[in-house]
């Protein structure tokens, strides 16, 4: 058994070990010696041994065999041993270990020890690792110490009480009276502990919070003393008197003043004073100012004070210290919802912070900038955001891209701008955008028919320069497939004309098909686009045919399937090819929150009545909506239906349930589906006059309701406007009275018709 | 409330760990690994604040040591920087121009100082002088304890005056107190 060495010798030996293996050897030897020493009877070197063990533990080696030794040393009468024993307990034991229960008695005894340093050891250990049982056991003792001891012990007892309250919430009531009286102490340590305790009690229990509101004047008084009083060397930190206590009091005031006018009024003057008098050249002053600003913004402060607070944050934004800029932006983020205009004033500085070197500052600036985008500043903000996107760190890219998309969707000043912005994002950060971007963009493009030419030209150019960004390539392929004829036509009002031959286009698509950079989905897009072009170009159909047949033996199953099907289309169904590959109908927009400047109403080119019937047949399958449908028939039809003048003589279809949300969703869900032809239900014409025809058809009847489709059509040469239809049904007997009114060729018409019988199924 | 305080070197070696909530040993090791990786990866002049899970991490580098403090979300980050700085000042006052070796060879003293400054995740004492005096008194209590005393230093030993010096085997030059052999003397304890 090697002799045990003093602590420092062992540390030196461990540090001089050159390899991990050597270090492990030294430590194993030492641990063996320590274990042997522990087994021996009481000797003078016990505290050294335990200290050695604690060092070994800090290096990461197991030290659980020291737990019982800690318990024994805590019970020792010697201060040196107690000290290390308690330290060991705090490091090796936690409340989950069984051994920790054994020290409860020692702690209890030491709490009433005659020497304050022994008491302090017990208090420290209790506050560090006291379990719930220990806390319950010793709470009365702590309460006693809170009331009658010297300030050294009182401040520790206060923080012990905080720990107890955190562990066992019900004991909060026990400490409330003592906490109240501690506020009268002069000692800063005790005051600080008291404020922390009161804060904890108020946060846990609203009734306690009410009771402690009465202390606001006392707290204000204490703060005033700190702020106005002269230099106090003991607590001064760079010109601020006891900043730790000031910040804690401000936090407590925040909790007490929240949602309470009277309390907020009482602290208004003080907050203004702190805000103006605190020296902001050093971090410590700024810490106090920061807490003050947080308090002002959280309580019901008067507007002048709020303006002062936001101005302080504005000053922080211009500070050279990065930390200060960071927390300024964090705070502004919190209030951007409520004090939006005040924050907007500092938009310039915030946008400048996007160019900061530090990643944390950049992140905050990005979040705040996105929150500040509005309809008025969208163009300038987007310029800055796109600039940021091109140079931002990788971890922020997807957040920036999705933020830009959201902002563009909400505030786009024009369709063209919207499309340009999305294209710009796809070219810079195409790899980091969400998957829905491609279908969303396609939807957007189909909806802006006047920009098809411009869009396809732009996308074609983008495709020529770079085919690595998958989302961009997919959209480009889709557009070239759809609008290839516009591309080949050459002229386009929005951009300079460029001559594109059919071969160029097919070359571009083939490059995408063959490139190793293209993802399988992208190649699928390219193949389909090539196929679609076969109906839009005239000369190179053979080339397309050969491309398609090559891919009939492609390894990728998806591509192979497509190629084989297209091949079949060429060979056996050539007469159907034109119909299959014609322009797609406009895809209906599903996503909410779309407030695009221009029309969101889809240009309804061709709505087959069967499609609407499909919608109606599904409604009755929701039993809960049975009766609602009928009522909605009445409710929905009371809304004026405006015929779309741009679309000439189309059939304005009456949506059955415009107000019912469930039914409405169903309609939207079906918007994208292919309408399956249904056998038309029996219809009856209920009104026919001056070219306006109303027909009713009965769909399905179930136990509690009936679904009826009403179709109105205009067979005159001119448009009909302000078409209004009202229908009423009695509770029994199936009858209906319909009143219609409309304007045609300048004159208004109104008529009422009664329907007594419905067509049988 | 503060959740934990870690001190580690530029190479990632842990010099001090203080946990203010009960955490299993395995998780402590994981947290230490995460912290050292995160903090050591930071650029020299970056912001001192990080986000990690639901906590704010405040770190500051002093010479070869990184001080890493984790606070809850409602705490004041700038004040946390001041807390770290105050602790460094206390160590500096105690050890006299503190360096990493002081903390390595006298780690238990570093813990004792910390336990006089912070308690249960909160600041315990806001005055530097009081903390220093308490540490010195506790040290004297430890040093001066004599075998055979049955009642714990209730009888106070008065100081006679003399030279303060100690031949000690420590290499960090800690100033201590010499017990003049044979002479009975008393020392006065600080009473706060």
């Amino acid at each position: 058994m090697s002799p045990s060495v003093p602590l420092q010798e062992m540390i030196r030996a461990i540090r001089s070990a050159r390899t991990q293996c050597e270090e492990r050897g030294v430590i194993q030897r030492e641990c063996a010696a320590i274990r042997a020493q522990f087994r021996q009877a009481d000797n003078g070197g016990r505290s050294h041994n335990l200290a050695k063990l604690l060092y070994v533990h800090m290096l990461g080696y197991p030290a659980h065999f020291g737990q019982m030794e800690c318990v024994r040393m805590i019970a020792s009468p010697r201060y040196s041993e107690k000290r290390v024993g308690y330290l060991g307990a705090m490091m090796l034991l936690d409340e989950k270990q069984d051994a920790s229960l054994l020290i409860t008695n020692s702690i209890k005894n030491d709490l009433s020890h005659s020497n304050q340093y022994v008491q302090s050891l017990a208090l420290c250990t209790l506050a560090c690792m006291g379990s719930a049982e220990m806390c319950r056991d010793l709470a009365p003792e702590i309460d006693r110490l809170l009331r009658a001891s010297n300030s050294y012990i009182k401040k520790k007892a206060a923080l012990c009480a905080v720990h107890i309250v955190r562990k066992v919430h019900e004991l909060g009531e026990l400490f409330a009276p003592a906490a109240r009286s501690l506020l009268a102490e002069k000692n800063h340590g005790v005051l600080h502990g008291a404020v922390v305790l009161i804060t904890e009690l108020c946060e846990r229990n609203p009734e306690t919070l009410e009771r402690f509101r009465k202390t606001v004047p006392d707290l204000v008084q204490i703060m005033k003393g700190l702020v106005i009083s002269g230099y106090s060397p003991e607590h001064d930190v760079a010109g601020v008197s006891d900043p730790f206590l000031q910040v804690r009091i401000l936090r407590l005031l925040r909790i007490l003043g929240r949602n309470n006018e009277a309390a907020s009024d009482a602290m208004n003057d003080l907050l203004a004073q702190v805000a103006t008098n605190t020296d902001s050249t050093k971090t410590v002053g700024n810490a106090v100012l920061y807490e003050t600003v947080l308090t002002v913004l959280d309580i019901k402060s008067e507007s002048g004070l709020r303006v002062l607070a936001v101005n302080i944050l504005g000053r922080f934004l211009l500070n050279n210290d990065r930390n200060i800029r960071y927390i300024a932006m964090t705070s502004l983020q919190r209030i951007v919802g409520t004090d939006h205009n005040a924050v907007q004033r500092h938009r310039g500085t915030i946008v400048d912070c996007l160019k900061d070197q530090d990643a944390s500052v950049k992140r905050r600036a990005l979040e705040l900038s996105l929150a500040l985008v509005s309809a008025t500043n969208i163009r300038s903000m987007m310029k800055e955001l796109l600039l940021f996107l091109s140079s931002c760190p990788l971890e922020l890219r997807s957040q920036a891209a999705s933020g830009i998309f959201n902002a563009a969707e909400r505030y786009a000043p024009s369709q063209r701008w919207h499309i340009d912005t999305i294209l710009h994002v796809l070219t810079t950060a195409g790899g980091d955008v969400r998957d829905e971007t491609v279908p969303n963009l396609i939807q957007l493009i189909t909806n802006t028919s006047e920009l098809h030419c411009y869009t396809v030209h732009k996308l074609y150019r983008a495709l020529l320069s770079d085919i690595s960004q998958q989302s961009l390539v997919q959209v480009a392929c889709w557009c070239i497939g759809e609008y290839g004829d516009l591309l080949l036509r050459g002229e386009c009002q929005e951009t300079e004309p460029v001559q594109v031959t059919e071969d160029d286009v097919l070359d571009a698509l083939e490059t995408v098909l063959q490139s190793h950079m293209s993802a399988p989905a992208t190649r699928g897009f390219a193949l389909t686009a090539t196929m679609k072009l076969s109906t839009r170009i005239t000369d190179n159909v053979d080339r397309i045919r050969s491309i398609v047949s090559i891919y009939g033996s492609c390894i990728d199953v998806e591509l192979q399937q497509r190629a084989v099907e297209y091949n079949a289309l060429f060979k056996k169904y050539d007469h159907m090819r034109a119909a299959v590959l014609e322009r797609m109908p406009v895809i209906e927009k599903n996503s909410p929150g779309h407030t695009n400047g221009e029309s969101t109403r889809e240009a309804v080119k061709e709505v087959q009545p069967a499609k609407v019937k499909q919608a109606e047949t599904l409604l009755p399958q929701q039993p809960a909506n049975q009766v609602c449908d009928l009522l909605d028939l009445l409710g929905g039809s009371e809304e004026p239906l405006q015929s779309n003048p741009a679309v000439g003589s189309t059939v304005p279809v009456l949506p059955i349930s415009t107000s019912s949300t469930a039914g409405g969703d169903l309609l939207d869900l079906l918007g994208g589906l292919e309408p399956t032809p249904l056998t038309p239900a029996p219809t009856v014409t209920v009104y026919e006059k001056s070219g306006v025809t109303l027909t009713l058809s009965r769909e399905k009847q179930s136990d509690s309701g009936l679904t009826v489709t009403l179709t109105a059509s205009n067979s005159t040469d001119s448009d009909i406007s302000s078409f209004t239809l009202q229908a009423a049904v009695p509770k029994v007997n199936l009858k209906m009275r319909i009143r219609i009114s409309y304007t045609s060729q300048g004159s208004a018409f109104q008529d009422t018709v009664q329907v007594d019988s419905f067509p049988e199924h | 409330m503060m959740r934990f305080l870690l001190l580690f070197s530029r190479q990632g070696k842990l010099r001090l760990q203080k946990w203010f909530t009960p955490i299993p040993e395995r998780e402590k090791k994981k947290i230490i690994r995460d912290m050292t990786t995160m903090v050591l990866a930071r650029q020299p002049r970056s912001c001192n604040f990080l986000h990690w899970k639901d906590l704010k991490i405040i770190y500051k580098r002093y010479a070869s040591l990184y001080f890493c403090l984790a606070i809850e979300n409602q705490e004041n980050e700038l004040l946390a920087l001041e807390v770290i700085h105050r602790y460094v000042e206390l160590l500096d006052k105690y050890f006299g121009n503190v360096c990493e070796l002081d903390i390595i060879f006298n780690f238990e003293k570093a813990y004792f100082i910390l336990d006089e400054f912070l308690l249960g995740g909160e600041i315990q004492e806001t005055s530097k002088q009081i903390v220093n005096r308490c540490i010195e008194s506790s040290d004297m209590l430890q040093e001066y304890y004599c075998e055979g005393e049955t009642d714990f230093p209730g009888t106070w030993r008065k100081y006679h005056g003399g030279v303060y010096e100690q031949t000690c085997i420590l290499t960090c030059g800690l100033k201590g107190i010499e017990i003049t052999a044979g002479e009975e003397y008393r020392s006065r304890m600080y009473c706060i």
Side-chain angles (χ1 to χ4, degrees), chain A residues 431-449:
Chain A
D432 296 297
V433 297
R434 285 195 314 253
D435 294 329
E436 309 88 77
T437 316
V438 171
N440 283 346
L441 180 56
I442 290 178
Q443 197 169 52
L444 182 64
I445 291 175
T446 56
N447 279 326
T448 42
S449 45

Side-chain angles (χ1 to χ4, degrees), chain A residues 156-260:
Chain A
K156 291 185 192 260
L159 292 177
C160 241
V162 172
H163 175 85
I164 291 176
V165 171
R166 283 183 184 145
K167 279 273 181 249
V168 185
H169 305 322
E170 304 84 58
L171 288 172
E173 276 309 304
L174 174 65
F175 296 117
R180 181 79 180 79
S181 53
L182 282 178
L183 274 184
E185 296 272 335
K186 291 281 169 270
N187 180 297
H188 282 216
V190 179
L191 263 181
H192 189 278
V195 172
V196 175
L197 179 57
I198 295 175
T199 311
E200 191 67 33
L201 293 173
C202 290
E203 274 175 346
R204 297 217 175 257
N205 190 334
E207 284 144 24
T208 322
L209 179 71
E210 288 297 325
R211 289 212 308 266
F212 273 107
R213 278 231 176 83
K214 292 182 271 215
T215 61
V216 169
D218 300 320
L219 292 167
V220 169
Q221 208 51 39
I222 299 172
M223 268 300 279
K224 274 211 173 92
L226 290 172
V227 174
I228 310 177
S229 71
Y231 175 74
S232 142
E234 192 153 324
H235 298 109
D236 182 271
V237 180
V240 181
S241 183
D242 206 341
F244 304 106
L245 182 59
Q246 286 196 31
V247 166
R248 268 342 278 239
I249 294 181
L250 285 168
R251 224 170 96 186
L252 180 55
L253 286 175
R254 181 155 85 236
I255 294 171
L256 295 175
R258 208 178 270 156
N259 294 327
N260 187 295

Side-chain angles (χ1 to χ4, degrees), chain A residues 77 83 156 248 322 358, chain B residues 45-47 122 124 142 152:
Chain A
R83 215 179 184 195
K156 291 185 192 260
R248 268 342 278 239
R322 224 173 234 130
D358 185 286
Chain B
R45 266 193 298 277
S46 21
C47 190
E122 304 283 352
Q124 190 192 142
Q142 185 169 335
F152 209 85

Side-chain angles (χ1 to χ4, degrees), chain A residues 8 15 58 77 79 83 117 152 155-156 166 192 234 242 248 251 287 291 322-323 358 364, chain B residues 1 15 45-48 75-76 104-105 116 122-127 137-139 142 152 170:
Chain A
Q8 277 79 22
R15 281 170 61 77
M58 187 149 62
Y79 179 69
R83 215 179 184 195
Y117 296 106
Y152 180 68
K155 77 183 182 210
K156 291 185 192 260
R166 283 183 184 145
H192 189 278
E234 192 153 324
D242 206 341
R248 268 342 278 239
R251 224 170 96 186
E291 198 72 30
R322 224 173 234 130
N323 296 331
D358 185 286
R364 288 269 163 257
Chain B
M1 140 173 202
R15 299 298 177 209
R45 266 193 298 277
S46 21
C47 190
N48 292 100
E75 299 285 333
N76 185 325
I104 295 172
F105 281 97
E116 283 296 330
E122 304 283 352
I123 299 167
Q124 190 192 142
E125 178 56 64
T126 56
S127 155
S137 310
S138 313
D139 279 349
Q142 185 169 335
F152 209 85
L170 301 176

Side-chain angles (χ1 to χ4, degrees), chain A residues 681-684 696-698 706 708 755 757-761:
Chain A
T683 61
V684 66
L696 273 181
S697 69
R698 177 174 167 147
L706 167 74
V708 176
V755 181
S757 68
F758 279 75
E760 292 308 306
H761 222 329

Side-chain angles (χ1 to χ4, degrees), chain A residues 574-593:
Chain A
D574 204 40
H575 55 282
M576 283 175 55
R577 187 160 50 94
V580 171
L581 297 176
E582 70 176 6
R583 277 263 211 286
M584 293 193 94
V586 171
I587 307 164
E588 279 176 27
K589 191 102 187 168
N590 292 342
S591 55

Side-chain angles (χ1 to χ4, degrees), chain A residues 113-150:
Chain A
H113 203 280
S114 52
N115 187 295
Q116 64 180 4
Y117 296 106
V118 176
Q119 281 178 304
S120 109
L121 287 176
L123 285 166
C124 185
T125 310
L126 180 61
C128 177
M129 48 150 309
S131 64
E133 295 86 54
M134 264 198 250
C135 289
R136 261 188 269 263
D137 216 0
L138 300 168
E141 190 65 23
I142 302 295
D143 189 47
R144 187 184 65 79
L145 289 173
L146 268 181
R147 293 169 196 279
S149 52
N150 61 28

